[in-house]
Amino acid sequence: MIKFLKNVGKEMKKVSWPKGKELTNYTIVVVTTVVFFAIFFFIVDQLISLGLNLL
């Protein structure tokens, strides 16, 4: 277990972490995508509910 954790520490030092501006851009993309899909599935759900209520 100790050897594994030491290896994890070594590998984490090799990781290229995003800079502040990149992180902000990635966050905006993720939030925008989540909001888009939430609205899309809300509309689809409403249309399916409307269609089922008409039957």
Side-chain angles (χ1 to χ4, degrees):
M1 185 69 168
I2 299 296
K3 184 179 178 183
F4 171 75
L5 292 175
K6 285 182 181 179
N7 287 336
V8 168
K10 288 178 186 176
E11 291 299 321
M12 290 301 286
K13 289 178 183 175
K14 297 178 186 177
V15 173
S16 173
W17 297 100
K19 305 293 182 227
K21 186 165 177 67
E22 290 175 323
L23 187 60
T24 302
N25 288 340
Y26 296 153
T27 303
I28 290 170
V29 168
V30 168
V31 170
T32 303
T33 304
V34 168
V35 168
F36 171 78
F37 278 105
I39 293 170
F40 173 76
F41 284 116
F42 174 76
I43 292 170
V44 170
D45 182 54
Q46 293 299 312
L47 291 173
I48 291 172
S49 295
L50 180 65
L52 290 175
N53 286 337
L54 292 176
L55 294 176

